[in-house]
């Protein structure tokens, strides 16, 4: 009987060979039960062809069943396993917490789960969310009147990004900021956040991108993301316009 070359199809406990010629049959040899070698040979006559019994329906059914069992045991993850989502919320949350810890973020700092362009803010139940999307936490409530349009507010602040990294601070600058309300001098979300504060109050403000500052190469912010500010409102003063000759300015008492 003449032996012909074969082609290897799968890497498994059974080495399965496909005949190169259509008129060839497949004969099975067991070698010490370690692997199965299927070799191709040319039958002498039609009787030997039927003797091989390779195309019997029951035989083919058993072979298919055994192949499914073998393939599922060798490749369980790829055949029936479920791939893990790259946007697993728990994994992203733990990652954000580790980054914030390395940046020495303050206590009770909000966490951010970013899924592409979508961001989920995770905070404690003490935070209050406004209809505009602004989120804030009153750390200390002050006393007195809330600032009104045209009045001057004096305040300290510390700014953070989503990673808990400090991006700006008036404490480090050595002087508080002074801004008049309702003059488009503040970021919309920042002005909304301090509008109902009282002198002496401290508040943490979480500003969404739609209420945040403009972005671009010419600005301080390089991407659309949430910004967090810890604000301490120091004072609120009335302002009036003063005119001396041809000179006019605004003074706040």
């Amino acid at each position: 009987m003449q032996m012909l070359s074969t082609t290897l199809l799968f890497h498994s406990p059974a080495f399965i060979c496909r005949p190169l010629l259509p008129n060839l049959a497949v004969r099975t040899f067991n070698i010490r039960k370690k692997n199965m070698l299927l070799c191709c040979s040319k039958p002498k006559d039609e009787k030997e062809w039927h003797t091989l019994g390779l195309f019997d329906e029951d035989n083919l059914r058993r072979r298919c069943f055994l192949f499914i069992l073998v393939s599922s045991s060798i490749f369980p993850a790829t055949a029936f396993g479920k791939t893990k989502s790259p946007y697993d919320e728990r994994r992203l949350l733990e990652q954000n917490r580790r980054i914030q810890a390395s940046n020495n973020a303050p206590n009770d700092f909000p966490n951010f789960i970013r899924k592409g362009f979508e961001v989920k803010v995770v905070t404690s139940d003490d935070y209050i969310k406004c209809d505009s999307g602004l989120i804030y936490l009153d750390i200390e409530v002050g006393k007195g009147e809330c600032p009104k349009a045209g009045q001057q507010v004096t305040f300290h602040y510390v700014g953070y990004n989503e990673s808990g990294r400090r991006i700006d601070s008036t404490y480090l600058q050595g002087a508080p900021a002074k801004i008049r309300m309702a003059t488009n001098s503040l970021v919309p979300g920042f002005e909304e956040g301090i509008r109902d504060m009282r002198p002496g109050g401290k508040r943490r403000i979480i500003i969404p991108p739609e209420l945040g500052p403009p972005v671009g190469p010419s600005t301080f912010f390089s991407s659309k993301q949430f910004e967090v500010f810890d604000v301490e409102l120091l004072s609120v003063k009335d302002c009036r316009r003063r005119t001396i000759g041809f000179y006019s300015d605004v003074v706040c008492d």
Side-chain angles (χ1 to χ4, degrees):
M1 187 175 293
Q2 183 182 2
M3 301 299 297
L4 300 178
S5 60
T6 58
T7 304
L8 184 64
L9 296 182
F10 301 97
H11 179 69
S12 67
F15 294 90
I16 304 174
C17 302
R18 180 172 51 188
L20 299 179
L21 298 177
N23 62 340
L24 299 183
V26 181
R27 182 165 295 175
T28 304
F29 298 90
N30 292 324
I31 303 177
R32 295 183 182 180
K33 297 183 179 180
K34 291 185 178 180
N35 50 34
M36 182 179 292
L37 185 62
L38 301 184
C39 296
C40 305
S41 61
K42 185 176 181 180
K44 293 181 179 179
D45 51 23
E46 185 177 357
K47 181 179 180 181
E48 183 178 351
W49 182 276
H50 292 287
T51 304
L52 294 175
L54 296 174
F55 300 98
D56 181 73
E57 184 177 355
D58 294 335
N59 196 356
L60 289 177
R61 187 181 295 109
R62 287 194 297 269
R63 287 174 179 270
C64 292
F65 179 72
L66 289 175
F67 175 75
I68 294 175
L69 291 179
V70 172
S71 62
S72 62
S73 62
I74 297 176
F75 310 105
T78 56
F80 303 102
K82 184 178 181 181
T83 57
K84 185 177 181 180
S85 172
Y87 296 135
D88 180 43
E89 288 193 0
R90 181 176 298 179
R91 180 178 60 85
L92 294 174
L93 179 60
E94 293 300 326
Q95 180 182 3
N96 182 248
R97 287 175 176 173
R98 288 195 301 268
I99 295 175
Q100 290 181 357
S102 64
N103 290 330
N104 296 320
N107 296 330
D108 202 13
F109 198 80
N111 297 112
F112 301 91
I113 301 176
R114 179 173 287 277
K115 300 180 181 181
F117 294 101
E118 297 181 1
V119 181
K120 180 179 179 180
V121 184
V122 181
T123 63
S124 64
D125 296 335
D126 297 329
Y127 281 80
I128 299 175
K129 185 173 182 179
C130 304
D131 295 336
S132 63
L134 185 78
I135 305 173
Y136 69 89
L137 169 67
D138 277 322
I139 302 174
E140 184 177 341
V141 180
K143 298 179 181 179
E145 297 293 331
C146 298
K148 300 180 179 61
Q151 290 184 319
Q152 183 189 69
V153 291
T154 304
F155 56 90
H156 274 298
Y157 71 88
V158 181
Y160 304 89
N161 59 16
E162 294 177 5
S163 300
R165 184 184 297 275
R166 186 177 63 235
I167 56 178
D168 195 11
S169 173
T170 56
Y171 295 102
L172 296 180
Q173 296 173 7
K178 296 181 179 181
I179 298 292
R180 292 180 61 203
M181 298 290 290
T183 58
N184 295 327
S185 301
L186 288 173
V187 172
F190 195 100
E191 181 165 339
E192 179 182 347
I194 66 173
R195 189 177 297 156
D196 57 349
M197 290 185 66
R198 303 176 187 274
K202 297 181 180 180
R203 174 177 290 185
R204 176 168 295 157
I205 305 171
I206 305 175
I207 302 177
E210 55 270 19
L211 297 178
V215 298
S218 60
T219 65
F220 184 81
F221 300 93
S222 59
S223 62
K224 285 286 187 180
Q225 62 174 319
F226 282 76
E227 306 294 338
V228 183
F229 290 92
D230 286 345
V231 184
E232 179 183 4
L233 185 60
L234 301 178
S235 63
V236 178
K237 294 181 179 180
D238 292 324
C239 299
R240 57 183 178 86
R241 179 167 295 278
R242 180 181 60 180
T243 302
I244 303 176
F246 296 99
Y247 175 76
S248 177
D249 63 355
V250 175
V251 294
C252 300
D253 303 321

